[in-house]
Amino acid sequence: MKNTISERVADFLKNYPPFSALESGQLAALSYEVTIVHKESNSIVFSEKEAPHDCFYVVHKGAVALTKKGSTQILDICDEGDVFGLRPLLAHENYKLEAKAHEETILYAIPIKEFKPLALQNHLVGDFLIESFASNTRNPYSQKHRGKLYGISNEPGNGQETKLLDLQPVRYSSDLVTCTEGTQIKTIANTMGKQNVSCILVVKDGLPMGIITDKDLREKVATGLFPITGSAKSIMTTPAITYPKELTVTQAQMAMMKSNISHLVLTEDGTTDTPAVGILSNHDIMVAMGNNPAVLLRAIKRAKDSKRLRGIRQGIMSLLQGYLEENIPIGLVSKIISELNDATIKQIIDICIKKMETEPPAKFTWLTMGSQGRGEQLLNTDQDNAILYENVPEEESETTRNYFLKLGSIISTELNTIGFEYCPAEMMASNPLWCHSLDEWKEVTTHWMGNPGPEEVLLSSIFFDFNVTFGEKALADQLSLHIFDNVKKFPQFLAHLASGALQNPSPSGFFRDFLVEQDGAHKDFFDLKLRALMPMVDAARVLILSHSVKSINNTSERYEKLAELEPQNRELYLACSYASKALLKFRTKHGLLHNDSGRFIALDKLNKEEKIKLKRTFKTIKEIQSLIEIRFQVKNLLR
């Protein structure tokens, strides 16, 4: 007689990794041993520090939240098909997190005793479990277990190489230029010049004895300490400092700092007893660290023109790609990339001011708006910016405005040159509508807030995310105070802003299906920005304005602040913070993959896991929209 329950279990599991990698017979046998667990909302699956169960879990229906003891912050939410509770399988330790049903949930408990032999036989299964366990937020404490399964080291080639940018192996020159101890210094200098190298290796019987660098020639020969007719032995540094060829960037840096040298000799075994295979210079390390944020920041500050900055922008994109591949938390990634973007814009402004015939006639502030203002512009999208300058006497008003309009136009052109596209709606400082004195900006924002029609609400929602990138922060602070005063003066403005936040179409329909574009160039694509990201951004903006919180523009940080201000809604706000970061990461990864803005997603290109993780955010979107609809009585506006 057929066991229909186990068949249903197998039919479900076969759609999700790692079970999809099992043979049908293996899956059928495993499914027969699976236990079905029902959990009410908020009930505990396992607690932090609890002894490990004899199984791990797969979510069949519902969701499970993973949290750290003493904190209500949700580190991850496991949805349909997600695997969790792997610690007893991989690390033989007590649980490091608490797992609690986020809603009414049905789980499949997978017995470790039956599953472990299958995973050991199937590398695809093992690799998936390691990735689930040792990366992302599902378990942030287990990096030490990467490359190991059940305490057994993986065979060579089965594990995944670490690609962290500051731990990667450096490229070195294998074209060795050598001489003997008796080679004349003049000959050495000529050889180094012809070969265009900064050092020469001194060898004896094929083994490295010492090294001579261009610094030795400058300090020992050019100063007259040694004659140019002398031998290599008289000026070489010996013994040669040797290291194995698998040296990493960090190890190379430490070695050079320790010995106060600029070149390392690489040998087969890292000693002078084997032949040299290459030379590693300080320049090689700097090249390898080209995607290091500190190096990029220095390069930005040294850049003298937009052409150089455009090249550096490519390095920033490579850095972003590397961070995403290594599952670096998107919050940290956003901060680093935003700092580099701000530094780039600041350098462009400095360059452009020098192109003007005169210095600025008044103090001013360059404001970035939209995603860059929120610190969320990770990809090369269009620019949204404005100029705010101090009030000047009436007789100087026209010339001052003309100066800043010209400056704004030059800056926008240079930003376009380095990769920031022009704003299609011309919301840029080159447009007279986005270049004003402080008093003029106060009048503009007062008009928007006092007359909140659809256009005014749209303009407010873009402008109110401004951030100071260059210039006088005090001017922006004065404008912020004026805006918050107007929030109190025009209470209906928040209701209209909340209404605007609800205008974006829902991300899903019945049964959580994706709602896609019905026509146009992106027919059948999912608009990630309009249907998912913007509802989260808009809701955070109106809520943070209602609390008169200044200087927090980032969406996830706004929700984290709201969680502090409204403890009764803490769980929802933290879920919103998580969802906003997840959506931003999703858009960024797909934008880099397809070399576009990442806004429109082809659903047929997503795997099952990606679709589930994306859908995971939809419930949160609906909940936060319901909150602002009720709080700001949006329905009353329609009466």
Side-chain angles (χ1 to χ4, degrees), residues 330-351:
I330 195 67
L332 176 60
V333 174
S334 297
K335 289 182 183 298
I336 293 174
I337 301 301
S338 293
E339 286 292 335
L340 292 171
N341 284 340
D342 281 349
T344 302
I345 296 171
K346 190 178 297 184
Q347 191 68 8
I348 283 287
I349 295 172
D350 274 328
I351 292 170

Side-chain angles (χ1 to χ4, degrees), residues 527-573:
D527 190 338
L528 184 69
K529 176 182 177 182
L530 194 62
R531 293 183 182 272
L533 270 168
M534 291 315 298
M536 301 297 297
V537 169
D538 293 341
R541 182 188 303 110
V542 67
L543 287 165
I544 212 75
L545 273 173
S546 71
H547 283 283
S548 296
V549 175
K550 307 173 184 65
S551 304
I552 300 180
N553 288 359
N554 182 267
T555 301
S556 63
E557 291 179 2
R558 281 173 167 173
Y559 282 120
E560 288 167 7
K561 183 63 177 179
L562 289 166
E564 295 178 16
L565 297 172
E566 300 179 28
Q568 71 277 17
N569 294 314
R570 179 179 176 83
E571 185 175 349
L572 172 58
Y573 289 144

